Amino acid sequence: MHRRLAAVLVAAGVLAVAGCAQNFDQGPEGKVTEKVKDGKKFYLVVDPAKAGGEKKFRVSKYDYHDCNRGSKYPKCVDD
């Protein structure tokens, strides 16, 4: 009985953590021109080198903090 209860609690914990992950579509490669915070939503504005025209897209708070203006998205931390 205790083993089943423990297994159920572990499974529920794993599902709860997995549900909290922020998975947003990756934006276009390019140079970060702007960072926008709207409440608890984070956005980057990127100017793609080839396509032209800036693109605004939602990112995780970690990507938002790791990417500075002028850095290359998506590898901002490595700049």
Side-chain angles (χ1 to χ4, degrees), residues 62-74:
Y62 305 106
D63 284 344
Y64 179 85
H65 292 294
D66 289 343
C67 293
N68 296 312
R69 289 178 186 92
S71 62
K72 294 178 186 175
Y73 181 83

Side-chain angles (χ1 to χ4, degrees), residues 44-70:
L44 291 178
V45 179
V46 171
D47 186 11
K50 296 180 181 178
E54 295 180 332
K55 304 289 182 192
K56 178 180 175 183
F57 54 95
R58 190 168 175 195
V59 294
S60 70
K61 67 179 177 182
Y62 305 106
D63 284 344
Y64 179 85
H65 292 294
D66 289 343
C67 293
N68 296 312
R69 289 178 186 92

Side-chain angles (χ1 to χ4, degrees), residues 20-63:
C20 294
Q22 294 178 330
N23 292 326
F24 300 110
D25 292 334
Q26 184 174 349
E29 292 184 17
K31 183 178 179 180
V32 177
T33 58
E34 188 73 33
K35 294 171 65 170
V36 180
K37 183 178 175 188
D38 182 15
K40 292 187 178 183
K41 296 178 183 176
F42 302 93
Y43 298 90
L44 291 178
V45 179
V46 171
D47 186 11
K50 296 180 181 178
E54 295 180 332
K55 304 289 182 192
K56 178 180 175 183
F57 54 95
R58 190 168 175 195
V59 294
S60 70
K61 67 179 177 182
Y62 305 106
D63 284 344

